[in-house]
């Protein structure tokens, strides 16, 4: 399942993942032996393919019940996918971390072959996936489903919740796929908490439903509501979509971020989708386990560094009341690479897909873009300007930010709603955390970022699990525990800082090219190691976070 709850009662959905597909090294026309491979999965986890970077072909047989139009939904393929139905090309998608559809019109009943050519190569065509401080794996890394479409169908909905006086209203825009397929007189109904609206069917139709007595969504009380949309033809419901929403409003007021009028104080971790047994294809059970640890640490937030996450993780955050900073996929891109015209296009595609797919999650309180890119250059500034404008155009209901480390040289701080800084006092910088924050806030006050909310979007220190020493040398658990403790004290005592994200939740694999600055070819700044074993710092973080409001 692509979500943690049922999204259709009427539309028939068949799961195509959670089982073995056939995998062959190379492109679909290359000769080679097929081996069974689990989907979702990363081939680096398979003996013999640990270091393989290139093309891989996945296929499986699909049984279609009766002649139908089909939508095949891929949650994520890393990183480039070309999809074929009985040998005919039906879809192309770049970027591992957003979902995409492949449509098949008029598929005949019976057996068909679905083939996905996957490529995880690093080359000029790929401006977001390149050797980086996290691993780009290969494979169909998220679930796959096949939906039977009835003609016109509900493609997706965009829901915003608005409070007027004491009453909440759910405002939904309904995007209809294949609208010409609708019969004359077809009707659309929307329902939430027993309140119903019926209207003509039209692509982009807006419906507004007041929900008296609606319980608000917050980190403390994550109240969720199912909202059902149906298409009715000749008195019969022929299609539906169930979305889940929460009533809440986020807004920036001076140097505060408010949710339902209350200031947020973020206590969070940055998290990569990485696991030593599954790579980036983390099973939902392991996601839930991560969230149990994150909550046990006393965190109220996760930053999905550095890309949009598996939607099931966002579902779990909605359910647990974990606030999410979700960001598009672009980490540490230098000015030269930002000049590649594909860079803007690929970033913008990622933003469009991320917002279309995830905008209804109440847990997402902020959108982030371009972590540590060239925000100190004119080229960079143009990209930031465009992407911030795009975010606003697509969703004006959430603040926007970007994590930078460029104290002294960033020329983009006037652009976001929230200023965010990554800083590593007592790790990369030989300065106390307290002095570091003082210097940073003084400098921000002289820039376009003055007076805006400030988040410390990364602090942290590395430690190799099990390496302990009373000398507190760097890379020991002892040093990490002390340094992170002091960093947290310095941030948390300041009222003018809205929150902090620790870099990072768990140790993660990095691309081989990063070996020289990364012992074990891992980024070792996890609070837990890659197997989620707690380092000494775990209890220090817990001690500082638990009980804080
Ligand atoms: C950066 C970056 C992270 C990670 C971190 C580190 O600030 O945003 O992706 O690389 O530094 O570990 O140095």
């Amino acid at each position: 399942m692509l979500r943690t709850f049922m999204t259709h009662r009427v539309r028939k959905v068949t799961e195509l993942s959670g089982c073995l597909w056939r995998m062959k090294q190379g492109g679909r026309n290359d000769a080679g032996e097929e081996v069974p491979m689990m989907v979702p999965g990363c081939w680096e986890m398979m003996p013999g393919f640990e270091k393989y970077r290139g093309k891989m072909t996945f296929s499986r047989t699909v049984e279609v019940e009766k002649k139908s139009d089909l939508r095949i939904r891929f949650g994520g393929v890393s990183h480039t996918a070309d999809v074929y139905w009985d040998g005919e090309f039906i879809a192309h998608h770049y970027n591992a971390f957003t979902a995409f559809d492949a449509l098949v019109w008029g598929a005949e009943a019976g057996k068909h072959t679905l083939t996905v050519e996957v490529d995880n190569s690093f080359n000029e065509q790929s401006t977001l996936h390149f050797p980086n401080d996290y691993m780009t794996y290969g494979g169909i890394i998220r679930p796959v489903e096949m939906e039977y479409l009835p003609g016109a169908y509900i493609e997706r909905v965009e829901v915003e919740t608005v409070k007027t006086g004491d009453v909440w209203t759910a405002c939904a825009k309904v995007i209809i796929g294949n609208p010409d397929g609708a019969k004359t007189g077809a009707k659309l109904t929307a329902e939430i908490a027993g309140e119903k609206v019926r209207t003509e069917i039209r692509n982009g139709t807006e419906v507004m439903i007041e929900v008296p007595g609606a319980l608000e969504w917050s980190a403390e009380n994550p109240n969720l509501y199912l909202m059902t949309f149906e298409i009715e033809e000749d008195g019969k419901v022929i299609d539906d979509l169930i979305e889940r929403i929460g009533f809440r409003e986020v807004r920036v007021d001076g140097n505060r971020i408010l949710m339902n009028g209350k200031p947020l104080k973020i206590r969070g971790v940055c998290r990569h989708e990485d696991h030593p047994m599954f790579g980036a294809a983390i099973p939902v059970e392991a996601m839930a386990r991560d969230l149990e640890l994150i909550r046990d640490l006393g965190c109220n937030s996760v930053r999905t560094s550095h890309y949009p996450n598996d939607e099931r993780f966002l579902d779990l955050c909605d359910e647990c009341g974990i606030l999410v900073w979700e960001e598009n996929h672009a980490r540490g891109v230098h000015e030269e690479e930002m000049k590649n015209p594909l860079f803007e296009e690929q970033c913008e595609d990622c933003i469009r897909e991320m917002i279309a797919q995830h905008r209804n999650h109440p847990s997402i309180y902020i959108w982030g873009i371009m972590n540590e890119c060239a925000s100190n250059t004119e080229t960079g500034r143009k990209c930031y300007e465009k992407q911030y404008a795009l975010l606003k155009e697509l969703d004006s209901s959430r603040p926007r930010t970007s994590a930078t480390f460029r104290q002294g040289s960033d020329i983009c701080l006037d652009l976001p709603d929230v200023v965010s800084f990554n800083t590593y006092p007592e790790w990369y910088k030989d300065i106390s955390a307290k002095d570091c924050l003082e210097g940073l806030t003084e400098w921000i006050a002289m820039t376009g970022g003055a007076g805006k909310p400030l988040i410390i979007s990364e602090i942290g220190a590395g430690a190799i699990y099990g390496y302990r020493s009373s000398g507190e040398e760097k890379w020991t658990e002892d040093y990490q525990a002390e340094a992170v403790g002091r960093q947290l004290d310095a941030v948390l005592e300041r009222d003018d800082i809205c929150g902090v994200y620790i870099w990072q939740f768990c140790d993660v694999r990095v691309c081989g090219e990063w070996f020289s600055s990364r012992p074990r070819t891992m980024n070792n700044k996890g609070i837990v190691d890659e197997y989620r074993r707690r380092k000494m710092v775990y209890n220090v973080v817990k001690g500082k976070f638990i009980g804080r409001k």
Side-chain angles (χ1 to χ4, degrees), residues 30-192:
D30 293 336
E33 193 200 335
E34 290 190 320
V35 291
M37 162 81 187
M38 178 53 84
V39 170
C42 295
W43 64 65
E44 287 83 354
M45 301 294 127
M46 288 261 289
F49 296 100
E50 293 90 342
K51 283 176 72 177
Y52 180 69
R53 193 165 286 289
K55 271 195 183 162
M56 195 73 98
T57 303
F58 291 81
S59 53
R60 62 158 286 161
T61 305
V62 175
E63 183 107 37
V64 174
E65 268 183 9
K66 56 175 186 335
K67 186 168 176 164
S68 311
D69 297 333
L70 304 170
R71 170 160 84 159
I72 302 168
R73 307 221 69 197
F74 290 87
V77 176
S78 184
H79 59 59
T80 298
D82 284 295
V83 186
Y84 298 82
W85 179 260
D86 292 334
E88 239 176 74
F89 172 79
I90 50 169
H92 171 85
H93 185 261
Y94 170 72
N95 192 3
F97 304 114
T98 42
F100 64 96
D101 294 343
L103 296 168
V104 185
W105 301 109
E108 296 292 341
K111 289 195 169 137
H112 297 269
T113 305
L114 176 64
T115 307
V116 189
E117 225 177 51
V118 182
D119 194 349
N120 72 343
S121 314
F122 295 141
N123 53 44
E124 284 273 294
Q125 304 307 305
S126 168
T127 67
L128 309 179
H129 288 278
F130 54 87
N132 217 328
D133 201 7
Y134 57 92
M135 178 66 179
T136 282
Y137 291 95
I140 301 176
I141 64 168
R142 293 178 184 169
V144 188
E145 287 179 354
M146 181 171 81
E147 302 172 350
Y148 288 78
L149 303 176
Y153 64 98
I154 303 163
E155 190 178 305
R156 63 187 175 85
V157 293
E158 299 179 357
V159 188
E160 255 178 56
T161 56
V162 179
K163 196 175 186 182
T164 321
D166 275 346
V167 180
W168 282 99
T169 303
C171 310
K173 183 168 165 190
V174 186
I175 313 328
I176 303 289
N178 189 25
D180 296 343
K183 280 197 183 165
T184 332
K187 292 274 183 291
L188 178 84
T189 55
E191 185 270 338
I192 181 167

Side-chain angles (χ1 to χ4, degrees), residues 463-469 473-479 536:
I464 310 290
Y465 180 81
Y467 176 30
R468 299 197 182 168
S469 154
E473 294 86 356
K474 280 191 172 168
W475 298 114
T476 61
E477 286 194 34
D478 310 61
Y479 182 78
M536 281 170 73

Side-chain angles (χ1 to χ4, degrees), residues 257 325 365-366 418-421 453-457 497-499 501:
I257 308 171
W325 159 330
Y365 76 101
I366 197 165
V418 173
V419 171
S420 297
F421 260 85
L454 170 63
I455 291 179
I456 300 301
S457 35
I497 299 180
C498 297
Y501 287 94

Side-chain angles (χ1 to χ4, degrees), residues 250-263:
V250 189
R251 122 183 117 78
V252 164
D253 181 26
N255 68 353
R256 302 260 168 236
I257 308 171
L258 306 180
M259 182 173 279
N260 294 338
K262 286 200 214 123

